[in-house]
Amino acid sequence: EVAAGTVNQAGFLEIRTTTTADNSTVAQLVRLVEQAQTQRSSSELLVDRFAKVYTPLVVASATLLATVPWALDPAGARDYFYMALTLLVLACPCALVVSTPITYVCTLSVAARHNILVKGGAHLESLARMKTMAVDKTGTLTEGRFQLQAVEVLDPKYSRGDFLQLVASVEKCAAHPMAVDLVAAARREGVCLLEDQ
């Protein structure tokens, strides 16, 4: 069975489809994006809780501001009525309540158009707190063309050369594009692989 998005590095494949378009990987991704857009993040839930308390308070304050002065002094009621309308317009949390979900829906849609699937607003929020990301998705997130950019050895017992020698020696028989580049990078730096010595 061949999954959608499979990269054939070399050779010939003869493939027969076994599923309908409704059950394809692309259709599943569309369903996941739609499902992600319905999941609510902690920010959205907080805004909703805030609006449930704040909105009635603003409406009640505006109602009191428009009616109490009118009952006490009908001559000056018109100014208070305008003040009540101004309060409603300025204090209304509509922008906050509407902007949060719109931001997430727009972000999820743009990400999906760029072939990035995010499972909802909560996961978008976690991206903002992320410090490090490790990815190994050749052909999905990349085009399969790699080049070693940096090596950071965390164990002081090993030098950069020692580390490259170990990694490249393990990966020298692999056909994965990352493995091929690791071996090539080690050889470019003059590192002798363990079997090559």
Side-chain angles (χ1 to χ4, degrees):
E1 185 171 318
V2 178
T6 300
V7 177
N8 181 14
Q9 294 292 324
F12 174 77
L13 295 176
E14 185 175 325
I15 302 169
R16 180 173 47 103
T17 58
T18 58
T19 184
T20 63
D22 292 340
N23 295 324
S24 70
T25 303
V26 173
Q28 290 173 2
L29 287 174
V30 168
R31 284 192 293 273
L32 285 172
V33 169
E34 289 170 350
Q35 181 184 25
Q37 291 176 344
T38 61
Q39 293 177 353
R40 316 228 350 129
S41 70
S42 58
S43 294
E44 289 175 291
L45 295 173
L46 176 68
V47 167
D48 285 348
R49 285 195 307 271
F50 173 76
K52 283 180 185 174
V53 174
Y54 181 76
T55 303
L57 286 175
V58 169
V59 171
S61 299
T63 303
L64 289 173
L65 186 59
T67 57
V68 171
W70 180 78
L72 298 175
D73 180 21
R78 182 176 178 167
D79 292 335
Y80 285 100
F81 180 74
Y82 284 122
M83 284 185 224
L85 289 176
T86 304
L87 175 65
L88 280 176
V89 170
L90 294 178
C92 180
C94 294
L96 182 64
V97 171
V98 171
S99 67
T100 306
I102 286 176
T103 302
Y104 288 127
V105 169
C106 289
T107 304
L108 293 170
S109 299
V110 169
R113 278 195 295 268
H114 288 91
N115 301 320
I116 300 169
L117 180 62
V118 181
K119 289 189 170 185
H123 299 285
L124 286 174
E125 287 182 3
S126 68
L127 286 174
R129 294 185 301 276
M130 183 173 61
K131 302 281 188 247
T132 305
M133 178 170 67
V135 178
D136 182 15
K137 287 286 188 180
T138 307
T140 303
L141 295 179
T142 67
E143 296 176 16
R145 287 184 229 119
F146 296 95
Q147 184 173 5
L148 184 64
Q149 297 294 315
V151 175
E152 185 176 338
V153 183
L154 300 178
D155 190 338
K157 293 188 296 188
Y158 297 98
S159 69
R160 175 187 168 91
D162 294 338
F163 179 77
L164 279 174
Q165 180 184 44
L166 291 172
V167 170
S169 296
V170 169
E171 297 289 351
K172 68 184 172 206
C173 295
H176 190 281
M178 289 179 93
V180 170
D181 183 67
L182 283 170
V183 173
R187 289 200 167 124
R188 275 193 307 271
E189 293 189 20
V191 173
C192 292
L193 305 186
L194 292 178
E195 190 177 271
D196 292 347
Q197 289 182 347

